[in-house]
């Protein structure tokens, strides 16, 4: 499949939307860290040197995170998208984990994290709505026929030993 064709698939659109949402959340956190730091500097500049230094540290870290996020503004998750489009054979293992938050026994939030592991040991992850995990996994199954899907402890140990152990063999046509 060509990159343009895969971008038009609904599952890929969901992946791209997930990257954009995660990028916006990270940007908001970086800006909040900057605002926290600036408020500490403003509030405690005259009274406490240590709290002013803490505010300065928060501001500098927030700026650093913000500028790092600006570098990938055009296409968040660019490296993983490029792998999926042009080097899908490098992805050897894909699995998801669903997280449910149950404060006081009431189900409040649930989302999933989709993990991609590569042949050279790198890992990419993306937080997605739980209902998006199944269609995206089905699409990725067709896009990555050589990769292993699903999590087990054995697969984790195989990945740590050698990511090549997670490659599925192609079925021979008779």
């Amino acid at each position: 499949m060509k990159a343009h064709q895969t971008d038009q698939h609904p599952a890929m659109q969901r992946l791209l939307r997930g990257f954009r949402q995660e990028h916006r959340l990270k940007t908001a956190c970086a800006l909040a860290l900057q605002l926290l730091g600036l408020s500490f500097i403003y509030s405690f500049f005259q009274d406490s040197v240590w709290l002013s230094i803490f505010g300065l540290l928060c501001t500098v870290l927030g700026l650093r995170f913000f500028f790092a996020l600006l570098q990938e503004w055009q296409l968040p998750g660019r490296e993983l998208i490029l792998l999926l489009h042009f080097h899908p054979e490098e992805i050897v293992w894909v699995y998801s984990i669903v997280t449910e938050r149950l404060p006081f026994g009431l189900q409040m939030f649930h989302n999933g994290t989709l993990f991609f592991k590569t042949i050279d040991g790198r890992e990419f992850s993306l937080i997605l709505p739980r209902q998006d995990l199944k269609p995206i996994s089905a699409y990725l199954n067709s896009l990555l026929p050589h990769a292993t899907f699903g999590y087990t402890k054995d697969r984790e140990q195989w990945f740590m030993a050698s990511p090549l152990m997670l490659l599925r063999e192609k079925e021979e046509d008779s």
Side-chain angles (χ1 to χ4, degrees), residues 93-159:
W93 187 23
V94 179
Y95 64 92
S96 61
I97 296 175
V98 175
T99 305
E100 294 183 348
R101 290 174 187 80
L102 302 167
F104 307 109
L106 301 172
Q107 184 176 9
M108 298 295 284
F109 303 104
H110 53 270
N111 58 8
T113 305
L114 192 60
F115 292 92
F116 297 84
K117 308 270 185 149
T118 64
I119 204 162
D120 57 1
R122 291 179 296 162
E123 177 182 307
F124 300 94
S125 63
L126 176 64
I127 296 173
L128 295 165
R130 183 175 69 178
Q131 64 270 15
D132 286 353
L133 291 176
K134 196 168 191 168
I136 290 173
S137 291
Y139 169 70
L140 290 173
N141 240 320
S142 65
L143 188 66
L144 307 168
H146 61 280
T148 301
F149 283 80
Y151 178 85
T152 65
K153 274 286 194 196
D154 289 338
R155 290 176 181 162
E156 183 177 13
Q157 290 175 348
W158 294 342
F159 182 77

Side-chain angles (χ1 to χ4, degrees), residues 4-141:
H4 178 69
Q5 292 172 330
T6 53
D7 275 347
Q8 301 308 315
H9 194 279
M12 186 59 80
Q13 290 295 316
R14 290 178 181 188
L15 264 177
L16 293 171
R17 186 176 345 117
F19 279 121
R20 286 190 297 270
Q21 287 174 342
E22 191 172 281
H23 191 267
R24 283 191 293 265
L25 180 63
K26 288 178 181 178
T27 303
C29 288
L31 291 174
L33 188 60
Q34 289 176 38
L35 289 175
L36 175 73
L38 290 173
S39 66
F40 263 73
I41 292 170
Y42 179 76
S43 300
F44 299 109
F45 186 73
Q46 297 288 331
D47 302 329
S48 174
V49 173
W50 294 111
L51 290 177
S52 297
I53 291 172
F54 174 74
L56 183 63
L57 180 67
C58 288
T59 303
V60 169
L61 286 175
L63 281 171
R64 182 171 184 255
F65 295 147
F66 182 73
F67 285 119
L69 290 168
L70 280 180
Q71 290 177 347
E72 62 177 52
W73 188 258
Q74 290 297 320
L75 183 59
R78 181 176 181 266
E79 191 174 1
L80 179 60
I81 297 299
L82 289 174
L83 274 177
L84 287 170
H85 286 325
F86 302 111
H87 301 287
E89 69 279 355
E90 290 188 25
I91 299 173
V92 295
W93 187 23
V94 179
Y95 64 92
S96 61
I97 296 175
V98 175
T99 305
E100 294 183 348
R101 290 174 187 80
L102 302 167
F104 307 109
L106 301 172
Q107 184 176 9
M108 298 295 284
F109 303 104
H110 53 270
N111 58 8
T113 305
L114 192 60
F115 292 92
F116 297 84
K117 308 270 185 149
T118 64
I119 204 162
D120 57 1
R122 291 179 296 162
E123 177 182 307
F124 300 94
S125 63
L126 176 64
I127 296 173
L128 295 165
R130 183 175 69 178
Q131 64 270 15
D132 286 353
L133 291 176
K134 196 168 191 168
I136 290 173
S137 291
Y139 169 70
L140 290 173
N141 240 320

